[in-house]
Amino acid sequence: MYIRGVILGCAAFALSAPVMAQDANIDGRVGKLEKEMRAVQRQVFPNGAGKFVEPEIQSPAAPSITNSSTSVAVDLTARIDALEAQLATLTGQVELQGNNMRGLEGRLKMIEAQLAAQAVASVETVAPTAVPTAAAPKTKTSVSPTKPASSAKPNPARVAAVAAIERPASGDVFEDGYTYGYRLWEAKFYPESQAILEEIVTKFPKHKRASYARNLLGRAWLDDKKPATAVKVFYENYKADPRGDRAPDSLLFLGSALTDLGKAVEACEAFGELAKAYPDAATGRLAERLTSSKTRAKCK
C-alpha cells in the first residue's frame, strides 16, 4: 500500500507540473501586457494626467477557495483578452495623436513659409519707392534714414523703469532668470523679458522647469504683437516636452497666436489637440480660457 501511494503521488505531481508551468507562463504574459499598457498610457495621458484604465476583468472581492488550476488558467486568459483589447485601443490613440502632431507641424511649417514669403514681398515692394530712379548718388540718401533706427539711443525713462525692477540673486541661475523674466513680462517690458528668457532657455534646455520658461517666452512674443514668432516658440515647447508642466498652456496660446495670424483652422486644430492630449487641463484650469479662445477663433 505504501509503495502504491508513493506511485500515485508521483503520478499526480507529474500530471500537475505542465499545468503549473502553463499558469506561470500565462501569469508572465499578464504582467508583460500590464507593463506595456502602462507605457502606452503614459503617452496617451502625458503631463502626469495619472489616468490608468483598469482591466475590465476585475479580481473578485473575496478569493474563492478552489483547488482547480484549470479555473485559474481560465481567469488569467480572460485577463489577457481584456488587456490585449485595451492595449490595442490605447495604441490606436497614440498613433492618432502622433498623426495629429505631424499634421499640425506640417501646417505650421507652411504658415511659416507663407509669412517669410510675405515679409520678402513687403521688402521688395517698399524698396523701389525708397530708391529714386534718377542718379546713383541719391541712393545714399535713401539708405541713410534706416541707420538711426539701429543706432537709436534707448529711452532714458524706459531704462530707468527697467532698472527699477528687482532682479533676484538667490544663487539659482535658472530660477533667478525666470523670475526676473516674469517680472519684466508682467511690467510689459516685453523685449527685455524675451532677452532674459531666451538666455536661460538656451543655457538650461533640460531644466525641470524649462517648460515654464519656454511658455513664458512665447507669451512675451505674443503680447509684444509678434504672433508669428510666438507660434514657433509655443509649438517648440509642446513638441520638445509634451509631458512638461506648461505643454498644455503652449497649445492653448499656440491657438491664440494662430488666431491672431488669421489661421482659424489651424488654431482650432491646436485647441482640439489640447482637449485630446490633456483632458484634465482642458476641462480644469484652462477650461475658461479654452472656451473663450475657441469662440474667438469661431471653432465648431
Side-chain angles (χ1 to χ4, degrees), residues 108-125:
L108 292 179
K109 286 182 178 179
M110 290 178 59
I111 292 172
E112 188 175 355
Q114 291 171 2
L115 293 173
Q118 291 173 6
V120 172
S122 64
V123 171
E124 291 176 349
T125 55

Side-chain angles (χ1 to χ4, degrees), residues 59-255:
S59 299
S64 57
I65 301 175
T66 176
N67 294 324
S68 174
S69 58
T70 302
S71 63
V72 174
V74 170
D75 179 65
L76 289 175
T77 302
R79 287 176 61 196
I80 288 178
D81 291 340
L83 287 169
E84 286 178 338
Q86 289 178 316
L87 184 59
T89 300
L90 290 170
T91 302
Q93 292 180 18
V94 170
E95 292 175 353
L96 179 60
Q97 184 176 344
N99 291 335
N100 291 340
M101 282 186 63
R102 286 189 290 271
L104 182 58
E105 183 176 14
R107 289 175 179 269
L108 292 179
K109 286 182 178 179
M110 290 178 59
I111 292 172
E112 188 175 355
Q114 291 171 2
L115 293 173
Q118 291 173 6
V120 172
S122 64
V123 171
E124 291 176 349
T125 55
V126 171
T129 61
V131 182
T133 57
K138 290 186 179 181
T139 57
K140 294 181 179 180
T141 59
S142 65
V143 176
S144 59
T146 61
K147 291 182 178 180
S150 59
S151 60
K153 294 181 179 180
N155 186 336
R158 184 183 183 90
V159 172
V162 171
I165 296 178
E166 181 183 1
R167 183 164 189 164
S170 68
D172 187 327
V173 179
F174 179 91
E175 288 299 336
D176 289 348
Y178 175 77
T179 301
Y180 186 51
Y182 179 86
R183 290 174 180 175
L184 289 168
W185 167 76
E186 194 174 34
K188 302 187 187 307
F189 293 126
Y190 301 128
E192 293 83 356
S193 176
Q194 293 159 13
I196 295 297
L197 293 169
E198 184 69 43
E199 181 181 357
I200 66 168
V201 165
T202 303
K203 285 184 178 179
F204 306 97
K206 300 297 183 181
H207 194 277
K208 62 182 180 181
R209 278 168 49 83
S211 178
Y212 283 83
R214 284 191 295 260
N215 183 71
L216 184 58
L217 175 60
R219 296 195 64 180
W221 282 108
L222 182 61
D223 293 340
D224 197 23
K225 309 302 180 185
K226 306 285 193 311
T229 304
V231 164
K232 184 176 181 180
V233 175
F234 285 131
Y235 184 72
E236 285 301 322
N237 189 37
Y238 167 61
K239 182 181 177 182
D241 189 8
R243 299 182 66 187
D245 291 335
R246 285 296 178 264
D249 305 67
S250 287
L251 269 181
L252 174 68
F253 291 113
L254 169 63

Side-chain angles (χ1 to χ4, degrees), residues 35-48:
K35 289 179 180 179
E36 289 179 353
M37 190 164 70
R38 285 189 173 90
V40 172
Q41 290 189 93
R42 279 195 294 270
Q43 298 181 54
V44 176
F45 304 109
N47 195 33

